[in-house]
Amino acid sequence: MPIYEYRCAGCGQVSSFFVRSINSPLDPSCTHCGGNDLQRRMSSFAVAKTTQSVHEQYPTSAGAGQDYYSDPRNIGRQVEESFQKRGMEVPPSVRRTIDAAREGSLPPGIE
């Protein structure tokens, strides 16, 4: 389901239009001023990254040069993936514990 963006020649604002498929007819008009003189523009897009590529791109002093299992950014990753596979959100108490561990401090009783 694509989103198309157009810039209005009248007011200069950008309007976005969500369509069901690339074959859906679209007669866009500016959502800001109602004008019909629109120019289609290139939209921004997201690129998925692997965990390894993120670690290589954003090394931290705590994680630099360490393997996957000793890198603190990976603490709790299996727990997060387990919840995600089941379509569940990580409970707030578990989220706090994982985030604290990644920052280097373990809550009492977790040592």
Side-chain angles (χ1 to χ4, degrees), residues 5-17 28-41:
E5 292 183 332
Y6 290 83
R7 181 172 305 279
C8 179
C11 69
Q13 296 292 317
V14 174
S15 299
S16 299
F17 301 94
S29 60
C30 179
T31 57
H32 303 279
C33 73
N36 291 324
D37 187 10
L38 302 173
Q39 294 293 318
R40 186 153 171 215
R41 60 184 296 245

Side-chain angles (χ1 to χ4, degrees), residues 35 42 46-47 51 56 63 72 79-81 87 105:
M42 292 294 293
V47 176
T51 302
E56 290 169 353
V79 173
E80 293 169 327
E81 289 171 358
S105 63

Side-chain angles (χ1 to χ4, degrees), residues 52-111:
Q52 180 179 354
S53 70
V54 170
H55 288 197
E56 290 169 353
Q57 185 176 358
Y58 304 106
T60 65
S61 58
Q66 296 182 356
D67 69 7
Y68 181 89
Y69 295 102
S70 61
D71 188 331
R73 293 172 292 186
N74 294 322
I75 294 173
R77 191 166 309 279
Q78 285 183 311
V79 173
E80 293 169 327
E81 289 171 358
S82 293
F83 276 98
Q84 184 180 17
K85 284 179 188 175
R86 290 168 179 76
M88 301 168 58
E89 291 205 22
V90 176
S93 60
V94 175
R95 168 62 46 217
R96 284 190 299 273
T97 301
I98 291 171
D99 291 343
R102 286 179 179 164
E103 292 171 8
S105 63
L106 294 176
I110 304 278
E111 301 85 21

